[in-house]
Amino acid sequence: MQIPAPFDYARATGVDDAIALLDRHGPESRIIAGGHSLLPMMKLRLARPEWLIDINDLYELDFLLVDKDKLRIGALTRHTALLESDDIARLFPIITDAEHVIADPVVRNRGTIGGSLCQADPAEDLSTVCDVLGAVAVVRGPNGDRMLTMSEFHRGPYETALAQNEILCELQFAIRPRTSSAYEKVERRVGDWAVAAAGASVTLAADGTIEEAAVGLTAIGLDGTVPDIDSTTRGQKPSEELFAEAGRLASLACDPVADQRGPIDYKRHLADELTRRVLRRASERAAQTQEG
Amino acid sequence: MQVSMTMNGEEITREIEPRVLLVHFIRENLGLTGTHWGCDTSNCGTCVVLMDGQPVKSCTVLAAMADGHDVRTVEGLATAGVLDPIQQGFMEEHGLQCGFCTPGMMLTARALLDANPHPNDTEIREAISGQICRCTGYATIVRSVLWAAEHPAELVTIDEEVGA
Ligand SMILES: Cc1cc2nc3c(=O)[nH]c(=O)nc-3n(C[C@H](O)[C@H](O)[C@H](O)COP(=O)(O)OP(=O)(O)OC[C@H]3O[C@@H](n4cnc5c(N)ncnc54)[C@H](O)[C@@H]3O)c2cc1C
Ligand code: FES
Ligand code: FES
């Protein structure tokens, strides 16, 4: 039977209350959101916080709204809400694509976008999505809010720029015309973590050439987005040759390890093939937004 | 610490350690052993209960996190001796063999039908995709849920009794 080590538990009544609780109880206190990454680690005693600060009552962190030229998603928004959102499917289909393959429907009822990003597991899908979309994280601490780009937010596997007494409050995504996106993952069975996955965002110029493109990879050793994709694709018409070149860049940029999910050459092959697929789909979708 | 919640329609309060998981709280503190406990790693789904009407894996929720919430277990499916159509469906269509996965399967199915009274085969398979059955091959589970969808007559009275 897996039981967490003993800890004390407090329910935060607001964001500032949660920050005050983290401050008061010090380095061994930890936020719990959906608990679907933290509790499994606590059950295995890989994590042994002395205090858990439960933020599940903070409805002010559970929102999803289109605010002029931004989509704003509260940190406590559950995977299920992201999957079911029509605004997201229309504006950022990469999120909908990813949510279809994150864990299973029951886990998605609890897990949150904030927990996913703060967990910073290298196999975690929404970090790649946020990298590709150039999301901005709004973080609050005792001294107020700060805004972090994804490269500032991520510090490597299981590490973020958050101080012990800071809370991730929301993620912001810029809404841009003639832009769309896609995500695709290869997994061993439904609900499993990725063997490899790729996400892409494409913005087309008025003449149908690529104005901006980004590709990110999950679970195969790449921080941030694939270098040189943007410069290679910019000004070019979307084509199979272009996608193939991008796939080649992705397979070179990643640094997978061999494990029970597969050998290195297979994972590099997936980086290549999945990059082609998501760029193709994102370009098609971006062209459709132009027509519509 | 003290936790209070609505369990199958009844208000309950217990003194527990904060580290008690909801599945053990239900089985050991409340003696409701219909909720099963299997993989302990959030994968198998036999521990699924409904929290505020939504399926959750109770091995991955603290009892403390359920404080103030409405929890429903397999014991809460039948009301006043009348089986829920889901339970009836599992009987009619042989939706179980060993029965280990059954409580979780039935609760997820209940939540599915509450949200979508006429799911198709694919929607049912998607809904139960976080749950493992080692016996049936799933086909009879899917048929059981379809049976329940086609026989919702009892549903009306049950919903009224629960006050949903
Ligand atoms: C069986 C299973 C399969 C899964 N498969 C996948 C998968 O395929 N792909 C995938 O991406 N994920 C997967 N997950 C992980 C799932 O998406 C989790 O829900 C997610 O990683 C964590 O979200 P949470 O809200 O549960 O976070 P928690 O477990 O509550 O927290 C995780 C960490 O983040 C911190 N934290 C949480 N919220 C905040 C906040 N607002 N501010 C500051 N710190 C915070 C916590 O202190 C903790 O350190 C799976 C999980 C399970 C159990
Ligand atoms: S015991 Fe909870 S998912 Fe297996
Ligand atoms: S009936 Fe035996 S595991 Fe499903």
Side-chain angles (χ1 to χ4, degrees):
Chain A
M1 193 191 289
Q2 297 177 11
I3 305 283
F7 56 83
D8 284 310
Y9 170 92
R11 262 200 206 185
T13 55
V15 175
D16 292 332
D17 181 47
I19 293 166
L21 285 164
L22 287 172
D23 241 356
R24 184 176 330 141
H25 298 301
E28 299 308 321
S29 61
R30 204 115 165 224
I31 294 291
I32 185 161
H36 273 54
S37 289
L38 185 52
L39 286 174
M41 291 210 310
M42 289 172 64
K43 289 168 72 174
L44 294 169
R45 309 279 171 117
L46 294 173
R48 301 177 75 129
E50 288 169 12
W51 274 90
L52 281 190
I53 314 300
D54 184 348
I55 59 169
N56 281 282
D57 285 351
L58 306 191
Y59 297 106
E60 71 247 52
L61 294 184
D62 186 0
F63 62 85
L64 209 163
L65 57 105
V66 178
D67 182 1
K68 298 192 202 79
D69 54 354
K70 281 199 286 272
L71 172 75
R72 298 173 51 196
I73 302 179
L76 196 63
T77 308
R78 313 273 170 193
H79 292 302
T80 301
L82 299 174
L83 178 60
E84 290 175 353
S85 161
D86 293 335
D87 281 334
I88 287 184
R90 180 171 51 86
L91 296 167
F92 299 103
I94 184 174
I95 303 181
T96 315
D97 289 350
E99 286 296 351
H100 271 293
V101 291
I102 290 178
D104 60 63
V106 182
V107 170
R108 292 198 293 259
N109 281 339
R110 292 298 293 171
T112 65
I113 186 169
S116 296
L117 265 87
C118 292
Q119 181 68 18
D121 187 310
E124 195 274 299
D125 297 288
L126 290 181
S127 294
T128 304
V129 166
C130 288
D131 284 343
V132 167
L133 295 178
V136 171
V138 182
V139 170
R140 192 180 301 170
N143 304 319
D145 287 0
R146 54 186 188 126
M147 316 271 272
L148 300 176
T149 62
M150 281 300 117
S151 59
E152 291 164 341
F153 182 86
H154 294 303
R155 285 282 170 81
Y158 308 103
E159 242 191 289
T160 69
L162 253 61
Q164 184 271 331
N165 56 4
E166 282 185 317
I167 290 185
L168 175 59
C169 290
E170 70 175 82
L171 292 145
Q172 300 185 345
F173 303 84
I175 299 171
R176 304 168 60 197
R178 300 186 306 275
T179 302
S180 198
S181 51
Y183 194 78
E184 189 166 327
K185 165 169 159 179
V186 170
E187 53 193 358
R188 294 176 302 180
R189 57 176 192 288
V190 170
D192 195 18
W193 298 85
V195 177
S201 174
V202 171
T203 300
L204 296 177
D207 64 359
T209 59
I210 293 178
E211 188 174 294
E212 204 174 326
V215 169
L217 303 171
T218 306
I220 42 177
L222 177 80
D223 296 332
T225 50
V226 179
D228 301 329
I229 292 271
D230 192 42
S231 54
T232 305
T233 55
R234 190 180 294 253
Q236 308 283 326
K237 282 255 184 219
S239 69
E240 284 307 314
E241 296 73 50
L242 194 63
F243 302 150
E245 176 56 14
R248 195 184 65 84
L249 290 173
S251 75
L252 290 176
C254 68
D255 186 15
V257 291
D259 58 15
Q260 76 275 21
R261 287 187 169 79
I264 290 172
D265 55 347
Y266 172 57
K267 293 185 181 183
R268 281 198 196 276
H269 162 75
L270 289 179
D272 179 354
E273 178 58 28
L274 292 175
T275 295
R276 297 181 198 214
R277 289 187 197 172
V278 289
L279 272 176
R280 189 183 300 127
R281 197 165 311 132
S283 303
E284 285 164 7
R285 286 172 171 170
Q288 280 162 11
T289 66
Q290 216 162 5
E291 287 158 17
Chain B
M1 67 178 290
Q2 206 177 56
V3 292
S4 302
M5 65 191 79
T6 311
M7 183 63 65
N8 298 324
E10 198 186 317
E11 298 302 320
I12 56 113
T13 298
R14 292 289 188 282
E15 193 66 37
I16 56 159
E17 265 192 276
R19 62 172 167 161
V20 173
L21 296 163
L22 183 57
V23 66
H24 301 309
F25 178 76
I26 290 169
R27 288 176 56 87
E28 283 154 37
N29 297 67
L30 304 180
L32 297 172
T33 52
T35 300
H36 291 168
W37 163 65
C39 67
D40 222 356
T41 58
S42 332
N43 282 290
C44 75
T46 193
C47 65
V48 165
V49 301
L50 302 186
M51 194 160 133
D52 302 327
Q54 280 201 322
V56 301
K57 292 181 176 175
S58 64
C59 70
T60 319
V61 176
L62 295 169
M65 296 170 89
D67 179 70
H69 291 270
D70 181 83
V71 179
R72 196 166 168 203
T73 68
V74 67
E75 287 88 347
L77 273 179
T79 23
V82 183
L83 291 185
D84 188 283
I86 288 287
Q87 293 172 302
Q88 196 70 41
F90 271 69
M91 278 172 59
E92 301 289 338
E93 298 291 341
H94 304 283
L96 64 146
Q97 289 178 30
C98 80
F100 192 68
C101 69
T102 314
M105 290 289 180
M106 291 202 298
L107 288 163
T108 300
R110 177 72 270 145
L112 172 67
L113 292 188
D114 287 346
N116 174 7
H118 300 291
N120 60 31
D121 194 281
T122 313
E123 289 165 332
I124 296 170
R125 285 178 185 273
E126 167 68 15
I128 61 170
S129 62
Q131 288 158 254
I132 294 171
C133 176
R134 283 290 182 241
C135 302
T136 63
Y138 303 98
T140 57
I141 296 180
V142 173
R143 282 209 294 273
S144 303
V145 181
L146 287 171
W147 188 97
E150 285 156 15
H151 297 81
E154 303 96 316
L155 193 91
V156 181
T157 49
I158 283 171
D159 273 355
E160 279 166 7
E161 280 164 32
V162 174

